[in-house]
Each structure stands twice: as C-alpha cells, then as structure tokens.
Amino acid sequence: MKEILTFDQLPTAVTMLTQEISELKQLLLNKSRQHPTEQPEQLLTVQDTAVFLSLSVPTIYSKVSKGELPVMKRSKRLYFSRKELLEYVKGGRQQTNAEIESEANLYLKK
C-alpha cells in the first residue's frame, strides 16, 4: 500500500524529488558525453546506390567492374557504404580558380 503524504510532508517530498531528478539528469548528461550516439554505417544495395547517385543500375555495375566505385562483395551480392559513396562523390569536386591560385602561390613561395 502506498504511503499517503500529509500537507506538512510536501516540502520535504518535493525537495527529495528535485534532488533525485537532478541526479538523474546529471547521470544522463554524463552518459551522453561518454558515448556519443553514432549511427551505424548504412549499407546500400545496387538499386539503392543507383537511386542515391542518380545513375542507372547498369552504370553502377559498369563503374564497379572498372573499379571506380568503392564496393563490398559478399557471395553474389554487392554492398556499398553510404559514407564511402559520399566521399567518392566529394572526391570528384573541382577546385575553384581561387583555390588553384592560392595553391600555386603557396607552391611558388617554397
């Protein structure tokens, strides 16, 4: 059976609850700092990769056979890491004229 609080006991009970909530909050904050939430690596199928890169499925197979796309193979299935595909796409980024000029100036200074 639950204990019934009297009006005189309310301030003490509220103080205890406030302290316990503060302790719980501190524990949760410490735990979130220790273990930042990391999303597990997302693996894509050939069809998912085609949609992700806006390419056709045959183009994906062609790029895999040429070694242009980072791929993992398990038995007869191909899997692609979303993270590696993003790096692949970013790797094709062309430098701006300002970036090229800055790089050239740094090289000439050496």
Side-chain angles (χ1 to χ4, degrees):
M1 189 160 172
K2 293 184 180 180
E3 189 177 322
I4 297 175
L5 294 175
T6 63
F7 185 76
D8 295 332
Q9 295 172 325
L10 276 178
T12 307
V14 169
T15 303
M16 276 182 38
L17 284 172
T18 305
Q19 288 174 344
E20 288 182 16
I21 289 172
S22 293
E23 289 173 14
L24 284 172
K25 183 178 177 182
Q26 196 60 33
L27 285 171
L28 287 171
L29 287 173
N30 289 339
K31 185 172 179 138
S32 69
R33 286 183 194 136
Q34 290 173 355
H35 305 289
T37 55
E38 293 180 19
Q39 290 183 336
E41 185 173 10
Q42 188 175 7
L43 296 178
L44 305 175
T45 63
V46 174
Q47 290 77 16
D48 295 335
T49 302
V51 171
F52 181 71
L53 296 177
S54 300
L55 298 170
S56 67
V57 171
T59 302
I60 298 296
Y61 281 116
S62 173
K63 288 187 174 291
V64 166
S65 69
K66 292 177 185 175
E68 294 178 15
L69 281 179
V71 65
M72 293 167 270
K73 187 173 181 180
R74 195 62 156 174
S75 65
K76 292 183 179 183
R77 298 204 177 259
L78 298 177
Y79 298 98
F80 301 86
S81 164
R82 185 180 196 95
K83 183 179 175 183
E84 288 178 355
L85 288 174
L86 281 172
E87 289 171 11
Y88 163 78
V89 171
K90 288 179 183 179
R93 180 184 173 275
Q94 292 184 350
Q95 292 181 326
T96 63
N97 289 339
E99 290 171 332
I100 293 170
E101 194 173 310
S102 171
E103 223 174 79
N105 287 337
L106 284 174
Y107 180 77
L108 292 174
K109 287 180 183 180
K110 290 184 181 180

